[in-house]
Amino acid sequence: METLIKKYCKSKQTLRGLPIRVVISGGGPVGLLLAIMLNETLGNKVEVAIYDKRWKKNGKKVYWKTKKDGNTRRTQVITLQSKLLKLLPSHLLEHLLPNNGFSEVWPYSQDSPIELGRPKNIRIIDIENRLLNYVQNSNVQLIPEKFQPEKTQSLNCDILAICEGVHSQTRQYYKSEFGLADPFPYSINGEHLEDVILSIQVKSGLSTSEAVILTLIQRRFLLNMTNDGYGHLNVRLTKGEAQEFKRSNSIFSTTFWPKIQDGLKLFSIQPNDVMEVNCFNISMKHESRFSTIINYESSSNATHAFLLGDAANGIHFWPGRGLNQGFVSVMSLVKSLQERLLKGNVLRAADYSKHEAVMHMLQHRHKSRAWEAMIRRVGNKSFSIRQLIDVDDELLETNRNQLLNDLFGQFVAISSRLNSRLPNMPNWDMIKERLELLSNETLKALVVSGPWETFWSGGPEIDLNIFYPKAN
Ligand SMILES: Cc1cc2nc3c(=O)[nH]c(=O)nc-3n(C[C@H](O)[C@H](O)[C@H](O)COP(=O)(O)OP(=O)(O)OC[C@H]3O[C@@H](n4cnc5c(N)ncnc54)[C@H](O)[C@@H]3O)c2cc1C
């Protein structure tokens, strides 16, 4: 580490003209895309070093640590919207989406219009492998270490881009500069809403369109998979289930395992096709700012710090836009710097006002949408879905036919909206056959969870061209 710091500092004696020196902490998809885009867009006007604690070096190459090294790679399937992909250079896109290297599962939408194609499903492990592979032979310096914010000053960089994900320690270290996040907009009656999600790695026997429709008519289970049926079944737990799971050694020994089995039946997942089971908590807070100045040595010798990706905006994954907004945040910063460098080398807060505005727009657009995936509005009141699906006490009142009818209504509404946007639309008989496999209790949880919300969460997406018409 010390040698690397010295090497980096040594090459900095000529500060502060060009090249602009950028340190990126965190080499997940967002950090890697930033490194690539800065390198490709700004060329020799920029010098980029990127740290990740999940990498290791072997010879000249950097690799992802494996299970043996104590790193479990993430395999969740990510949906990337085609409008976003259009922002990336074509040679990078070819590398990120090689033939047979992605699936098309979700329907056309505002963010994936017919002229640009359906959204693309890719496992996060594949996104990370492809981006790391792409950046290996560039000028970007890959540092397989944990970034330590207390040493930022000695790195003497112009820009620190914090891309460490939702639990960023560097964001925490600079909390006086970035300010604290506010949990109240994402609370109910003053209680910060937190979902606990069971994420089961599975293989489903359903077609992708069947999986999409069964996912959209309710909000207890979410299956996102690739064409071969591999993916993750995510289960929203009630408060009681989450507490019980914490206390138990295994999901199979919990009292609610039969309800999870209903989810497996619904999505045609055989017991042998259940692989790893993980559990994570997810909540949202309103961030106050996304850029700041952390070291003021002199007005022309400061370090400008930016929060990007999940470190900036941790978004509930249910509507699936976390990485999409992370990639847009990268493109905005790159375009903002590109514009500035056309005018000269000095960088001041005012130079990235537009970028800061984009970050707030992304926060507003994506957290508003994601909030609708955590709650259900009834009249003037909001209820957490996790509370609504806690239906044990109401079982006696359950009428199975009525529940199936309710789900039929949700199926009709959704399929009429998607008819021209999703190929091979399943019919009600097929959907009903799957629902018939479930207990009354599970059917009731599906009904009260409500279908995916589309009215409050719909509408226009953030368009970078409004701000950066010239920076291509
Ligand atoms: C179940 C699930 C489904 C999802 N589905 C979708 C979807 O369909 N569509 C979508 O757009 N998004 C989806 N997301 C969200 C998406 O995974 C995240 O938005 C994305 O991973 C964020 O990328 P990132 O690079 O900002 O952060 P991360 O992926 O968290 O990467 C952060 C990196 O920083 C490194 N790091 C952290 N601290 C340090 C340090 N101090 N020094 C060095 N390195 C450090 C970590 O090792 C890691 O590599 C989903 C998320 C989940 C959990």
Side-chain angles (χ1 to χ4, degrees):
M1 174 73 178
E2 289 303 325
T3 4
L4 282 167
I5 290 178
K6 274 184 199 145
K7 181 172 165 242
Y8 205 56
C9 288
K10 203 171 156 213
S11 70
K12 289 182 161 304
Q13 299 307 313
T14 55
L15 275 182
R16 288 294 181 130
L18 291 177
I20 286 206
R21 299 163 205 284
V22 180
V23 167
I24 303 173
S25 66
V30 168
L32 283 169
L33 182 71
L34 177 65
I36 292 168
M37 290 309 302
L38 284 173
N39 194 45
E40 300 211 345
T41 317
L42 301 179
N44 57 12
K45 289 185 181 156
V46 73
E47 209 175 86
V48 182
I50 174 166
Y51 289 72
D52 202 288
K53 57 185 180 182
R54 293 188 297 142
W55 294 340
K56 60 182 179 183
K57 204 159 194 171
N58 194 349
K60 283 192 173 156
K61 267 190 113 178
V62 166
Y63 299 86
W64 293 101
K65 287 182 184 165
T66 62
K67 240 184 190 156
K68 269 193 195 157
D69 307 307
N71 178 37
T72 304
R73 300 294 305 280
R74 301 169 296 177
T75 54
Q76 76 250 23
V77 176
I78 304 277
T79 305
L80 293 176
Q81 304 294 326
S82 55
K83 248 189 193 169
L84 159 87
L85 292 167
K86 184 85 187 351
L87 295 174
L88 306 183
S90 54
H91 47 279
L92 174 59
L93 209 51
E94 280 163 24
H95 197 87
L96 188 61
L97 301 174
N99 285 339
N100 302 322
F102 62 91
S103 303
E104 292 187 338
V105 172
W106 294 91
Y108 293 109
S109 64
Q110 283 241 13
D111 243 3
S112 293
I114 290 183
E115 62 278 15
L116 296 180
R118 287 170 69 191
K120 311 288 182 253
N121 267 11
I122 326 172
R123 297 179 315 155
I124 191 166
I125 185 173
D126 296 324
I127 298 179
E128 290 186 326
N129 287 348
R130 290 169 195 171
L131 291 178
L132 183 59
N133 183 290
Y134 187 93
V135 81
Q136 291 277 357
N137 301 321
S138 69
N139 294 330
V140 172
Q141 190 187 357
L142 302 173
I143 306 179
E145 287 174 24
K146 182 173 180 188
F147 177 77
Q148 294 171 358
E150 25 339 320
K151 298 196 175 162
T152 312
Q153 198 152 11
S154 65
L155 292 178
N156 210 11
C157 50
D158 301 274
I159 290 176
L160 172 65
I162 303 166
C163 307
E164 295 175 359
V166 79
H167 302 297
S168 170
Q169 288 178 1
T170 303
R171 181 191 57 208
Q172 181 64 15
Y173 182 86
Y174 289 116
K175 62 176 188 282
S176 309
E177 287 81 359
F178 284 114
L180 289 180
D182 181 0
F184 277 97
Y186 306 108
S187 304
I188 293 182
N189 299 329
E191 191 187 333
H192 191 205
L193 184 52
E194 186 175 65
D195 268 339
V196 181
I197 305 291
L198 202 65
S199 187
I200 313 174
Q201 198 183 3
V202 296
K203 181 175 186 312
S204 160
L206 296 183
S207 74
T208 53
S209 297
E210 289 164 347
V212 165
I213 295 298
L214 283 169
T215 291
L216 294 180
I217 61 172
Q218 49 75 42
R219 291 183 289 178
R220 165 73 146 162
F221 303 106
L222 183 160
L223 177 66
N224 203 11
M225 64 182 199
T226 45
N227 286 339
D228 54 13
Y230 285 94
H232 282 251
L233 179 68
N234 297 289
V235 187
R236 196 190 308 259
L237 299 184
T238 66
K239 212 173 194 174
E241 289 168 348
Q243 283 163 352
E244 188 187 338
F245 182 69
K246 243 189 191 166
R247 289 193 304 267
S248 63
N249 296 327
S250 132
I251 181 68
F252 308 113
S253 61
T254 58
T255 57
F256 63 91
W257 173 239
K259 297 182 189 175
I260 306 297
Q261 282 177 306
D262 268 357
L264 300 176
K265 284 184 216 159
L266 182 64
F267 287 94
S268 186
I269 297 158
Q270 302 304 318
N272 286 347
D273 289 329
V274 171
M275 292 158 252
E276 279 191 16
V277 180
N278 285 305
C279 191
F280 58 89
N281 298 10
I282 192 152
S283 59
M284 297 193 298
K285 288 182 181 170
H286 186 86
E287 300 290 339
S288 52
R289 63 185 301 172
F290 301 97
S291 54
T292 187
I293 299 178
I294 51 176
N295 297 320
Y296 286 92
E297 279 182 30
S298 74
S299 60
S300 60
N301 205 15
T303 300
H304 300 260
F306 297 90
L307 294 170
L308 297 167
D310 276 16
N313 273 318
I315 287 166
H316 198 292
F317 75 97
W318 210 271
R321 300 299 174 101
L323 185 53
N324 283 265
Q325 68 87 30
F327 277 5
V328 177
S329 70
V330 164
M331 300 309 284
S332 168
L333 181 59
V334 171
K335 283 172 186 286
S336 176
L337 293 174
Q338 196 182 7
E339 272 188 355
R340 185 63 197 93
L341 291 181
L342 289 176
K343 297 179 199 155
N345 303 337
V346 182
L347 191 61
R348 291 172 297 187
D351 294 318
Y352 42 80
S353 295
K354 286 201 286 191
H355 169 68
E356 182 73 11
V358 168
M359 294 302 296
H360 283 274
M361 288 172 80
L362 288 172
Q363 163 157 261
H364 175 260
R365 178 70 188 99
H366 292 285
K367 286 185 185 160
S368 310
R369 178 189 355 240
W371 181 236
E372 300 298 332
M374 296 182 81
I375 60 153
R376 190 163 185 193
R377 296 178 194 278
V378 183
N380 242 353
K381 280 193 161 178
S382 300
F383 295 89
S384 68
I385 297 172
R386 70 179 289 185
Q387 181 195 343
L388 292 172
I389 58 178
D390 203 351
V391 293
D392 291 7
D393 296 337
E394 297 167 43
L395 267 185
L396 291 176
E397 292 165 30
T398 301
N399 172 336
R400 189 172 177 86
N401 280 339
Q402 184 55 50
L403 294 173
L404 286 168
N405 270 346
D406 289 347
L407 289 164
F408 175 64
Q410 296 175 2
F411 166 79
V412 171
I414 283 170
S415 51
S416 66
R417 270 204 310 276
L418 294 188
N419 225 347
S420 59
R421 297 199 267 139
L422 188 70
N424 308 318
M425 184 71 89
N427 60 31
W428 172 243
D429 288 343
M430 179 271 145
I431 299 292
K432 190 167 175 228
E433 197 180 306
R434 302 240 58 87
L435 293 170
E436 289 282 19
L437 300 171
L438 312 183
S439 67
N440 284 357
E441 205 175 351
T442 298
L443 283 180
K444 182 143 195 180
L446 301 192
V447 170
V448 296
S449 69
W452 274 38
E453 203 287 323
T454 52
F455 177 75
W456 295 106
S457 56
E461 305 294 343
I462 307 307
D463 182 359
L464 285 185
N465 287 320
I466 302 171
F467 288 98
Y468 308 106
K470 288 194 210 121
N472 291 316

